[in-house]
Amino acid sequence: MIAGLLGLVTATAFAQKGELKDAREAYEKYDLLNKSGAATLAAISLNTAKTSIDKAAANAKTSGLGETWAVKGSVYAALALNDTSQAKTAPLFNTADEALKKAQELDKGDNKKMIDNAKTLLAQYQLNKGVKLYGQKKYDQAYRAFEYYRQAFPTDTNAIYYSGISAVDAENYPAAITNYTKLLTTRFSKNSTVYLELSSIYLRQKDTTNALKTLGEGIQKYPTNSDLRKKEIELSLQSGKQQEALAKLQIAIANDPKNKVLYYYAGLTYSIFADAIVKDMKDKSKTKDAAAKAALQAKKDETYKKAADMYMKAVEIDPNYFEANINLGYALMSPAIDIYNYANNEIPVNKQKEYDAAIVKSTAQFNIAKPYLLKAVELKPNSYDALFNLKTYYLGTKDTAHANEIQKKIEALPTAPAAVK
């Protein structure tokens, strides 16, 4: 009786080890069939593996073996990856994840390859899940799915990028910064874009310092990238760092002399300088005497000329560049306005010849600006600024009929300012 009982126990234990052996063999067969494209036969083998491994995992004799949990993790990971129903795959994924944790605790190195392969399947599952969730605009959930994949493959640049971009859309900016910063230490093919995106993330957090720093680092690595240059210049101008912006523009133009946008921003920078001079000219404390006033006027004229030169180069590259045309027209017209106002407000009525000479001079300057003022209206007939500038030209050249005609167009604009008459 005792011998028979021992024989029964041994047979039972051996049977459960047989289930583990069958499960592993069925899974390996599934893996081979799946890679060869025999999906139907592969599914049969996978289900066979599931039946056997469930029995082995439930038995006390084999539940303590690392191999059991390595096989179970592999089987359930494959089941989760192959099914398309989230309701079905979530429990399968969780079972696989827990099984692999147990496998790692119990394994002595014999099952490392199987465990690593199963972890790869789970990571692929999360990647697929993240893509689906991102498409559904469930950005926070997508981020968590992509993070699982990224942690499994920490050097995979696409994984880091997916985590970063989903974190941005989930407004999880600290996580986005961490991922994008990590990405910039790699050889990711889209890192020039990553510098742009990272600077935008800093701006969303009102961190202009790091935004500019990021752009500067990006330009050092990609000196001919016009998008990085443009963004840096825009931000410098917005931050009141016009002199820095101008210096960077000069470098950018030297690297990319056919870039119309760079010339436009150089012109815009000079226009901002000129506007600052206009403000000084309105400050009576800075224009106490005629010499000081004349010096500011000369400086203003010189600065607008520099602006016009830059805008002109942009227009030469692209004659239909609206922003360059409208600003060029105004930069050229500004001296004419000053001369016209001086003639009408400063020259005494008994100095008719002097007045006539000034008006002739202002008209000549107005006419230099005319082609660009007309072009701006042609390009954008409903632009209030373009129409207003053209109206100013007609008033300055005493063409009242055309000035009134333009005024009617201004009043007909759907968004025309009510106070403009």
Side-chain angles (χ1 to χ4, degrees):
M1 285 293 292
I2 293 175
L5 182 60
L6 288 174
L8 180 61
V9 171
T10 302
T12 303
F14 186 79
Q16 296 311 317
K17 286 187 176 180
E19 292 288 2
L20 175 56
K21 181 175 180 291
D22 290 345
R24 183 159 194 157
E25 288 178 352
Y27 176 76
E28 289 173 348
K29 184 178 179 181
Y30 151 78
D31 193 40
L32 184 62
L33 290 168
N34 188 54
K35 289 176 179 176
S36 66
T40 302
L41 293 175
I44 294 172
S45 292
L46 186 60
N47 287 327
T48 300
K50 178 182 181 300
T51 300
S52 294
I53 198 59
D54 283 347
K55 291 178 181 178
N59 187 271
K61 298 294 182 180
T62 47
S63 63
L65 300 175
E67 182 183 6
T68 299
W69 298 104
V71 174
K72 183 161 186 174
S74 297
V75 170
Y76 275 80
L79 288 167
L81 187 60
N82 290 345
D83 206 313
T84 57
S85 169
Q86 176 63 27
K88 294 180 181 178
T89 59
L92 294 171
F93 173 88
N94 292 334
T95 299
D97 195 37
E98 289 299 320
L100 290 174
K101 288 176 183 176
K102 287 186 180 180
Q104 287 177 299
E105 291 173 5
L106 298 169
D107 186 54
K108 297 179 181 179
D110 299 337
N111 301 293
K112 184 178 184 305
K113 184 177 180 180
M114 176 169 271
I115 292 170
D116 288 345
N117 288 340
K119 288 169 69 175
T120 297
L121 294 180
L122 290 184
Q124 184 64 49
Y125 168 87
Q126 288 289 357
L127 177 62
N128 295 347
K129 178 183 175 182
V131 171
K132 185 179 293 185
L133 289 167
Y134 190 89
Q136 295 170 348
K137 298 185 178 180
K138 297 177 181 178
Y139 302 123
D140 190 51
Q141 295 178 51
Y143 165 71
R144 291 197 293 270
F146 288 136
E147 269 294 283
Y148 186 102
Y149 181 83
R150 185 193 65 78
Q151 289 172 16
F153 298 100
T155 60
D156 186 326
T157 54
N158 283 324
I160 302 171
Y161 184 65
Y162 292 155
S163 287
I165 197 169
S166 57
V168 171
D169 289 327
E171 298 184 1
N172 185 353
Y173 300 131
I177 289 172
T178 296
N179 279 285
Y180 279 154
T181 301
K182 172 66 177 176
L183 199 56
L184 292 176
T185 66
T186 71
R187 294 184 178 181
F188 185 52
S189 61
K190 299 179 181 177
N191 265 348
S192 59
T193 301
V194 172
Y195 277 109
L196 276 173
E197 293 179 2
L198 182 55
S199 69
S200 295
I201 295 168
Y202 280 123
L203 286 177
R204 292 185 188 187
Q205 295 191 303
K206 302 184 186 303
D207 187 350
T208 305
T209 300
N210 273 316
L212 280 169
K213 180 183 176 183
T214 299
L215 290 167
E217 290 172 356
I219 290 168
Q220 283 186 337
K221 289 190 177 182
Y222 305 97
T224 61
N225 187 293
S226 59
D227 290 332
L228 286 169
R229 291 280 184 187
K230 177 184 175 184
K231 184 74 174 288
E232 183 187 42
I233 291 157
E234 286 179 339
L235 188 53
S236 295
L237 292 175
Q238 291 168 9
S239 304
K241 299 178 180 180
Q242 287 85 8
Q243 289 290 357
E244 291 180 24
L246 186 58
K248 290 171 182 176
L249 275 164
Q250 290 168 343
I251 295 171
I253 289 171
N255 286 323
D256 191 6
K258 294 185 179 180
N259 190 324
K260 65 179 183 180
V261 175
L262 295 176
Y263 289 111
Y264 168 74
Y265 277 105
L268 185 61
T269 305
Y270 280 119
S271 290
I272 291 172
F273 291 155
D275 290 343
I277 297 169
V278 171
K279 186 177 180 180
D280 286 343
M281 292 177 71
K282 293 179 180 179
D283 185 347
K284 292 183 179 179
S285 66
K286 295 182 180 181
T287 55
K288 291 180 179 180
D289 56 63
K293 189 174 181 179
L296 283 173
Q297 182 65 54
K299 187 177 179 182
K300 174 190 170 187
D301 291 344
E302 180 186 358
T303 306
Y304 267 127
K305 183 181 184 306
K306 290 179 179 178
D309 289 343
M310 292 294 104
Y311 293 135
M312 183 69 77
K313 289 180 179 179
V315 169
E316 287 171 354
I317 294 170
D318 180 4
N320 294 322
Y321 191 173
F322 170 76
E323 289 80 6
N325 273 285
I326 190 172
N327 283 16
L328 174 57
Y330 183 79
L332 291 171
M333 188 168 62
S334 179
I337 294 172
D338 289 340
I339 298 168
Y340 179 89
N341 287 339
Y342 173 79
N344 284 280
N345 299 324
E346 303 292 334
I347 297 177
V349 293
N350 60 348
K351 294 186 177 181
Q352 188 64 38
K353 288 185 179 180
E354 182 179 343
Y355 173 83
D356 291 341
I359 291 299
V360 168
K361 186 177 179 181
S362 70
T363 300
Q365 185 64 38
F366 272 121
N367 285 330
I368 293 173
K370 182 180 181 181
Y372 308 103
L373 299 171
L374 289 171
K375 184 67 175 180
V377 172
E378 176 191 328
L379 292 170
K380 288 193 178 182
N382 292 325
S383 166
Y384 167 78
D385 290 331
L387 289 169
F388 185 82
N389 284 353
L390 185 56
K391 174 190 169 184
T392 301
Y393 162 79
Y394 286 128
L395 289 174
T397 55
K398 300 184 182 298
D399 188 342
T400 306
H402 277 107
N404 290 338
E405 182 181 321
I406 296 300
Q407 178 58 33
K408 290 178 181 178
K409 291 182 179 180
I410 291 174
E411 292 173 351
L413 293 175
T415 57
V420 175
K421 297 294 181 184

